[in-house]
Amino acid sequence: MTLRVAVVGCGLIGSRRAKEASQHPRTSLALVADVDEDRRTQLATRYACLPVAQWKEAIDNPAVDVVVASTPNRYTAEIAVAALAAGKHVLVEKPPGRNLVEARQLAEAARKAGRVLKIGFNHRYHPAIDRAYRLYSDGAIGGMINIRARYGHGGRPGYEKEWRGDQALAGGGELTDQGVHIADLIQWFGGVPCEAFAFLQTAVWPIQPLEDNAFGLFRYRNGSIASVHTTWTQWKNLFSFEVHGQLGSLCIEGLGGSYGPERLLRAIRNPAGGVPTVNEESFDGPDLSWQLEWDDFVHAVDEGRTYRGTPEEGVGAMAMIDALYRSARSGVLVRLSEATA
Ligand SMILES: NC(=O)c1ccc[n+]([C@@H]2O[C@H](COP(=O)([O-])OP(=O)(O)OC[C@H]3O[C@@H](n4cnc5c(N)ncnc54)[C@H](O)[C@@H]3O)[C@@H](O)[C@H]2O)c1
């Protein structure tokens, strides 16, 4: 029997999830839920499934095995916790809740329910990032010295009026929005760091008390460092994630589309000094991260396989974000053990 899926929230990301759920051989799209009638009707018509207005109808429906929570952040944790309690498997979009408290509630609900809860950290499935991770894990660049990450776009007119500009709906600003992907990638490569320091700006978009720019630093017990800049004033979209090791470096540029071609630059240090050995790979195809992520989720549900984006990784990434906010507010270095306590 196929797994019957409900997608709650029929916006940009809900539409992507609906497409994957309807195309995967092991899943079928049973229903879509959205408070916006046009959106739910359009998606339901496209995939010939049931449209409902209230997310509770999706959770209560016995003909649903899997719930995707793809609403604004205000509702995702609440929907996911209720769905888990009702015995459904859940894919919840990033960020896992609006803050660390909600991320922990999600993890606790998954533990109690004994169901799969996957956090939508789709960047882990981008081909250049996936390849870099495999090379790094195989020791290609030796021990990590530092990570330098930058991620941003330039918003759009009226951005401050969208849900991302509203603290109650979003939780945080750009640090929570795109920054959580970066925090997740840092923890994937290096684990959760132990110290954090940050400065925030609200430079252009009138979204106070939210930030449109965040500069953060993390440090590990062994002295390794990771730096982060996430921004909604990056007028030409940018994604850059560099991992520097004792033997070489792995630099990812672009995510395809408006972020430019996705490339992985591998430089292996010349022990004699001078020019390193450089290898460049380009990944020009369509963005398959959503498809690969869905497949990973389905295998986890079907076979109990390990997967990327566990509830604990959700807590780890949100603890990192939380530590940066705490540092920015207090003006001092924050220990993550304090932030996560
Ligand atoms: N993985 C990624 O790279 C990525 C990218 C963008 C967004 N996201 C995440 O996906 C989620 C959705 O973002 P989006 O860009 O698709 O937003 P969106 O605004 O395009 O869509 C949200 C939809 O949810 C609906 N909605 C609002 N309140 C609801 C409720 N109470 N019940 C049911 N539906 C409701 C809205 O009507 C809208 O159709 C967010 O959590 C966001 O952070 C992830």
Side-chain angles (χ1 to χ4, degrees):
M1 207 178 80
T2 60
L3 296 163
R4 297 157 302 179
V5 179
V7 170
V8 181
C10 303
L12 179 72
I13 300 303
S15 305
R16 285 191 187 156
R17 300 297 186 192
K19 177 173 171 240
E20 299 309 333
S22 68
Q23 288 182 349
H24 195 283
R26 288 286 303 122
T27 56
S28 63
L29 190 61
L31 70 82
V32 293
D34 203 302
V35 288
D36 183 309
E37 186 177 359
D38 285 350
R39 288 196 169 183
R40 66 174 182 266
T41 309
Q42 263 181 29
L43 209 58
T45 307
R46 191 180 315 154
Y47 295 110
C49 68
L50 181 70
V52 300
Q54 301 302 322
W55 61 262
K56 286 200 168 72
E57 295 177 62
I59 306 309
D60 293 341
N61 192 323
V64 166
D65 308 299
V66 168
V67 170
V68 175
S70 50
T71 60
N73 306 345
R74 157 70 183 84
Y75 311 103
T76 48
E78 192 181 350
I79 293 166
V81 167
L84 287 162
K88 319 290 186 193
H89 301 284
V90 175
L91 191 158
V92 64
E93 299 303 338
K94 67 81 202 162
R98 285 172 296 178
N99 48 46
L100 180 56
V101 171
E102 291 187 357
R104 287 216 189 98
Q105 286 167 353
L106 281 167
E108 180 56 23
R111 249 192 311 274
K112 265 199 197 143
R115 290 288 183 271
V116 174
L117 170 67
K118 176 168 168 41
I119 318 299
F121 287 139
N122 73 306
H123 288 38
R124 291 191 183 208
Y125 303 87
H126 266 268
I129 296 172
D130 177 77
R131 175 111 176 97
Y133 181 74
R134 288 170 199 270
L135 287 166
Y136 174 72
S137 303
D138 287 346
I141 60 165
M144 194 248 280
I145 302 169
N146 51 48
I147 292 177
R148 184 165 53 213
R150 294 172 296 153
Y151 197 8
H153 63 75
R156 51 190 161 248
Y159 206 57
E160 69 277 10
K161 297 193 186 76
E162 298 185 16
W163 66 261
R164 282 184 177 78
D166 180 331
Q167 188 179 31
L169 292 176
E174 163 65 338
L175 177 58
T176 299
D177 189 43
Q178 292 193 301
V180 77
H181 278 305
I182 292 296
D184 176 55
L185 294 179
I186 291 172
Q187 73 164 338
W188 199 29
F189 280 79
V192 176
C194 66
E195 290 174 314
F197 184 81
F199 286 122
L200 305 181
Q201 286 176 294
T202 309
V204 168
W205 302 102
I207 54 172
Q208 289 87 351
L210 303 182
E211 72 290 345
D212 58 25
N213 275 265
F215 289 83
L217 281 176
F218 293 109
R219 191 160 56 181
Y220 288 88
R221 247 173 264 291
N222 68 1
S224 303
I225 292 171
S227 81
V228 176
H229 176 205
T230 53
T231 162
W232 280 334
T233 61
Q234 187 74 40
W235 308 124
K236 162 73 182 79
N237 293 7
L238 173 85
F239 178 87
S240 168
F241 191 83
E242 303 177 0
V243 186
H244 299 273
Q246 299 284 353
L247 306 178
S249 55
L250 295 162
C251 301
I252 301 142
E253 300 288 338
L255 287 173
S258 58
Y259 287 88
E262 189 167 334
R263 297 184 310 141
L264 171 61
L265 211 79
R266 185 181 358 157
I268 301 301
R269 184 177 167 192
N270 183 343
V275 183
T277 309
V278 176
N279 173 283
E280 187 180 331
E281 290 175 79
S282 293
F283 303 86
D284 294 328
D287 178 2
L288 297 181
S289 67
W290 306 96
Q291 185 183 325
L292 295 169
E293 179 168 45
W294 189 255
D295 193 56
D296 196 20
F297 179 48
V298 171
H299 281 294
V301 171
D302 258 357
E303 300 150 30
R305 258 181 25 186
T306 56
Y307 58 99
R308 299 176 185 176
T310 63
E312 293 71 32
E313 288 167 336
V315 171
M318 289 306 271
M320 292 167 67
I321 297 296
D322 180 76
L324 293 179
Y325 280 125
R326 285 170 49 137
S327 170
R329 275 199 302 271
S330 64
V332 298
L333 192 78
V334 165
R335 287 189 193 288
L336 262 88
S337 51
E338 287 167 21
T340 53

